[in-house]
Amino acid sequence: MLELVVIFFIVLVGGTPGGSDSAARATPMAPVVDAPAAEAAPEAIEEPQPAPATDTRTPEPQEPTGKFLNATEVRPILDATKGSWVAVRLYEGQDLLYFTSLLSWRCGLWEIRYGVNGAPADQVVEMEPCYEDTAQPAALTDPVAFPIWVTFAPETVQSVTVEIDYDDGTTDAATFQRSGILIP
């Protein structure tokens, strides 16, 4: 989480993590396998896809605010941190599937969905509202009503597929293997 805060600050001030030689010192990220888009050619996976035709939401304005409140502002960060969208941890006899990274940038999202072990990504992660009139609109202030993790039986989460809907009407998806997102 500290890395995300540091990256956020560096991006905010217009720098690059690690300066000019950051590529040589970059921390490896979890391997990500893009989830196949329905009825799309493989090359279409790299670009955000329109939300399903049944979606009746109207895309929100995408004017930059400097507060990371819309897809235009959060997509570059979520693209850069895609390998860290989720994490899994075996803790006190349970698998905890964390959504901390995505929830920290939720103000540009309409929805986060997931599926475990090959199941379709149809489980919706409840998101706390954004506090647009505050200095920290994406603050996570109510972990009881809006937990940052989902609990499973021990060592049962072997893969996770995540789909996100941006507030501009586009979607993105990725599938993660346990070994790539396992944290101590």
Side-chain angles (χ1 to χ4, degrees):
M1 184 67 183
L2 180 60
E3 282 184 24
L4 287 176
V5 172
V6 171
I7 290 171
F8 168 77
F9 178 76
I10 291 170
V11 169
L12 185 64
V13 297
T16 58
S20 61
D21 65 341
S22 64
R25 295 190 320 244
T27 303
M29 299 198 49
V32 176
V33 179
D34 284 334
E39 303 176 29
E43 61 271 6
I45 295 172
E46 294 179 16
E47 293 296 319
Q49 300 297 309
T54 58
D55 194 340
T56 59
R57 298 176 286 203
T58 302
E60 297 179 22
Q62 297 299 307
E63 295 297 320
T65 65
K67 293 178 82 173
F68 298 92
L69 298 175
N70 59 52
T72 298
E73 295 175 306
V74 302
R75 181 181 291 109
I77 294 163
L78 292 177
D79 285 346
T81 60
K82 198 169 194 175
S84 300
W85 279 6
V86 293
V88 68
R89 175 183 184 200
L90 181 60
Y91 182 73
E92 295 185 354
Q94 298 178 322
D95 270 356
L96 303 180
L97 177 59
Y98 290 91
F99 294 90
T100 315
S101 181
L102 289 172
L103 292 170
S104 296
W105 299 103
R106 72 190 180 281
C107 293
L109 303 178
W110 277 332
E111 192 170 73
I112 302 168
R113 293 177 308 282
Y114 69 95
V116 174
N117 300 336
D122 58 7
Q123 299 298 306
V124 176
V125 176
E126 294 297 320
M127 296 189 296
E128 191 168 347
C130 292
Y131 306 105
E132 295 183 21
D133 297 329
T134 69
Q136 300 296 323
L140 297 169
T141 64
D142 192 352
V144 174
F146 302 99
I148 61 171
W149 70 80
V150 180
T151 305
F152 294 90
E155 300 190 37
T156 56
V157 177
Q158 297 303 311
S159 66
V160 181
T161 298
V162 178
E163 295 178 1
I164 57 175
D165 293 340
Y166 287 100
D167 67 6
D168 65 357
T170 60
T171 64
D172 200 358
T175 296
F176 306 88
Q177 298 304 312
R178 180 185 185 93
S179 62
I181 58 172
L182 187 62
I183 59 175

